Structures are given as C-alpha cells and as structure tokens.
Amino acid sequence: DIQMTQSPSSLSASVGDRVTITCRASQSISSYLNWYQQKPGKAPKLLIYAASSLQSGVPSRFSGSGSGTDFTLTISSLQPEDFATYYCQQSYSTRFTFGPGTKVDIK
Amino acid sequence: EVQLVESGGGLVQPGGSLRLSCAASGFTFSSYWMSWVRQAPGKGLEWVANIKQDGSEKYYVDSVKGRFTISRDNAKNSLYLQMNSLRAEDTAVYYCARLGFRLGDAFDIWGQGTMVTVSS
C-alpha cells in the first residue's frame, strides 16, 4: 500500500500567518492527492482535490501544489476558523490512504 | 440539499456483527462511487472500503478484508457496511462518503458519522 506522511504533525500559528503543510507519498501518485480539513466532532471537509484544484465554496486563501511524491497545502493568511486538523489523502491506487494529519492551533 | 445520513452504530461485543446504513439524498446516487471511512477515538482518518456505481468493484483496507462487506441498493439510494467478527480495534466513528464518478476522485460529501463501539 502507498504510505502517506505529513509534516509537521502540529503547528502553532497566529491569525494572519502564512501556513504550509507538507505531504509525501511513498511512491509516485501523479496528482491524485486531496486535502481535507476536520474540526473536533465534525466530519472532514474537502478543501483541495487533484493536488491543486480548489473545491467549490472553499476560500481562495487555501491552495495546493505538487505532483509525484511531494505536495503542499498553503493557507495564505490564517483565519480564526482555520484552526483545525488537516489531512492529505491519495486516490491513486484502488486502496486509498490518508496521512496522519497536521493539527493547526492558536499560538 | 445533497446529504448522507448514517445509522446503525452502537455497542457490540467482540466477535459480534453490526450493519451500518447510509441514506443518500439530493443527488443521483447510482452515478457515484461510494465509500466508508472510519476514525478511531482521538486518531486519524482511515479509509475502509469503496464500491463502484453498479457494485461490480469493491476494495477494502487489509484490516477488514474477509470480515466487512460493502454493498449498495441504488433503488433505495442506500449504502451499507456489514461488519462481522468485530474487534476492539474496529471501535470508531464510521463515515459514509461520496467519492465521485471515477475511483480517482476525492471524497466531496460526508455524512455526520455513526459511532461503533466494540467492547465486552
């Protein structure tokens, strides 16, 4: 199975900060990489699909890049509602895998 | 409104069985791959199973293969997960998720989740 890693596992940031989260796949997954946001007690929400496409309704401060094995999620100016856990997920193989998550909290 | 609503969770003893259901509304259910994703308490997300639009292809995470069965009834706009030989490590919130027209798509719609607790 394809293994996904994320870094950092957690970070503390302030409102207005630029935040970057990295996701790495154990083998090339082309652009089959998706990003989700999850708040406590809630279902995950799709932010970015196919590595860099913004899901409808998601603010433009979220962006994704990368292909092959290395990917990034960037929040250009962190807002209070962005404090959450972020997961990457590959949909390249028939058996999907998620990264372990990155928790973004308030500094 | 596009919506997925899970049901069927609860407390079950190790070795027992449970059947989860997911009712879909607001979209053409039969046009989409569908999936189950779970999250153990305090842990990350784990993909469990996918099923093709017509049920002809199914894929499972290794840890549930041979114990869980994903199925669907397009006439009833419903997705199911039959869980047998349950173990303590199957304790989790189980989410139903819409995958897309293609297997390589993303989970764009999620249910609210149903809790499964495996304990004696």
Side-chain angles (χ1 to χ4, degrees), chain A residues 36 38 42-44 91 95-96, chain B residues 39 60 62 65 103-104 107 111:
Chain A
Y36 302 86
Q38 188 180 34
K42 300 294 185 181
S91 53
R95 301 194 303 186
F96 297 171
Chain B
Q39 186 169 36
Y60 300 92
D62 281 349
K65 208 173 292 185
L103 183 57
F107 300 119

Side-chain angles (χ1 to χ4, degrees), chain A residues 8-105:
Chain A
S9 57
S10 65
L11 66 91
S12 295
S14 301
V15 172
D17 283 354
R18 182 181 181 88
V19 170
T20 298
I21 298 169
T22 298
C23 176
R24 178 166 289 174
S26 60
Q27 67 182 73
S28 177
I29 57 170
S30 184
S31 295
Y32 290 90
L33 191 284
N34 311 302
W35 290 98
Y36 302 86
Q37 176 194 67
Q38 188 180 34
K39 297 180 180 179
K42 300 294 185 181
K45 172 187 174 183
L46 177 64
L47 299 176
I48 301 287
Y49 64 94
S52 60
S53 296
L54 190 68
Q55 174 69 356
S56 176
V58 173
S60 59
R61 63 181 179 273
F62 291 93
S63 64
S65 65
S67 66
T69 60
D70 294 316
F71 303 86
T72 59
L73 172 71
T74 300
I75 309 172
S76 60
S77 178
L78 199 66
Q79 298 301 300
E81 60 268 31
D82 300 338
F83 292 96
T85 300
Y86 294 85
Y87 295 92
C88 63
Q89 174 250 332
Q90 64 83 15
S91 53
Y92 177 81
S93 71
T94 57
R95 301 194 303 186
F96 297 171
T97 43
F98 285 90
T102 295
K103 185 176 181 180
V104 177
D105 61 22

Side-chain angles (χ1 to χ4, degrees), chain B residues 39-117:
Chain B
Q39 186 169 36
K43 303 297 184 182
L45 300 169
E46 180 181 42
W47 166 77
V48 174
N50 289 339
I51 186 168
K52 195 176 180 179
Q53 288 90 334
D54 62 359
S56 61
E57 293 182 40
K58 303 176 184 181
Y59 302 100
Y60 300 92
V61 67
D62 281 349
S63 59
V64 309
K65 208 173 292 185
R67 300 189 299 123
F68 290 13
T69 302
I70 188 172
S71 63
R72 64 191 295 162
D73 185 335
N74 289 340
K76 294 183 177 179
N77 293 331
S78 293
L79 177 72
Y80 305 101
L81 186 67
Q82 177 66 44
M83 304 186 294
N84 299 330
S85 303
L86 282 161
R87 306 167 179 166
E89 54 265 35
D90 295 319
T91 294
V93 174
Y94 284 74
Y95 294 102
C96 166
R98 189 176 83 171
L99 183 52
F101 298 131
R102 303 174 306 142
L103 183 57
D105 288 343
F107 300 119
D108 66 341
I109 303 294
W110 296 69
Q112 84 288 352
T114 187
M115 183 70 203
V116 172
T117 302

